């Protein structure tokens, strides 16, 4: 454990001082669990994808801004998850959940259809991610 430097306030109280580089390295919430970061990365990516469809080729400014915010947030949160989780686990989970999430958003928000082949394909994606995450020691959450 590394001791956190403290600075006296002149009234007997001390506050912990963190360096600026530590703030940017650890982010705003240094206690964020990597799986929570991964879950929010997935949600941000799916939201960014929905906004991309709604942006109509980046001709709708609010939706275009949502694309940038969604994907920017997704990659930031993905980088946070990768601090503690293996690349294989993170990418398999992120891409697999993103595929299924984007397809569901397409059905719900954009009246897109899903046929039996799509359902089978998404089921295989989920099964593959489950096998990698649950049974493979090479892609286990802890590295």
């Amino acid at each position: 454990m590394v001791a956190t430097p403290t600075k006296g306030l002149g009234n007997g109280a001390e506050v912990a001082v963190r360096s600026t580089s530590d703030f940017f390295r650890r982010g705003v919430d240094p206690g964020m669990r990597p799986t929570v970061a991964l879950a929010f990365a997935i949600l941000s990516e799916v939201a960014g994808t929905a906004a991309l469809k709604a942006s109509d080729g980046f001709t709708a400014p609010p939706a275009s801004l949502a694309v940038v915010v969604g994907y920017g947030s997704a990659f930031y949160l993905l980088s946070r998850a990768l601090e503690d989780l293996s690349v294989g686990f993170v990418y398999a989970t992120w891409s697999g959940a993103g595929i299924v999430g984007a397809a569901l958003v397409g059905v719900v928000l954009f009246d897109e259809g899903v046929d039996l082949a799509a359902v089978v394909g998404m089921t295989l994606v989920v099964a593959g991610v489950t096998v990698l995450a649950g049974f493979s020691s090479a892609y286990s959450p802890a590295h």
Side-chain angles (χ1 to χ4, degrees), residues 13-134:
E14 293 184 345
V15 295
V17 177
R18 290 179 25 181
S19 70
T20 304
S21 62
D22 185 52
F23 175 80
F24 286 108
R25 184 181 67 77
R26 305 283 287 158
V28 177
D29 180 12
M32 181 185 294
R33 293 185 176 159
T35 52
V36 172
L38 179 56
F40 280 110
I42 293 164
L43 293 173
S44 295
E45 187 261 340
V46 171
T49 301
L52 188 60
K53 172 79 171 176
S55 76
D56 196 28
F58 286 100
T59 59
S64 299
L65 178 61
V67 171
V68 173
V69 171
Y71 284 141
S73 299
F75 282 108
Y76 168 75
L77 291 163
L78 196 64
S79 74
R80 292 296 306 273
L82 285 167
E83 290 176 357
D84 295 313
L85 301 173
S86 71
V87 172
F89 172 79
V90 168
Y91 192 72
T93 305
W94 182 59
S95 61
I99 290 168
V100 174
L104 292 175
V105 164
V107 168
V108 172
L109 296 181
F110 302 110
D111 200 29
E112 296 175 351
V114 175
D115 59 9
L116 180 60
V119 171
V120 170
M122 286 186 276
T123 302
L124 290 172
V125 167
V126 170
V129 170
T130 302
V131 168
L132 284 173

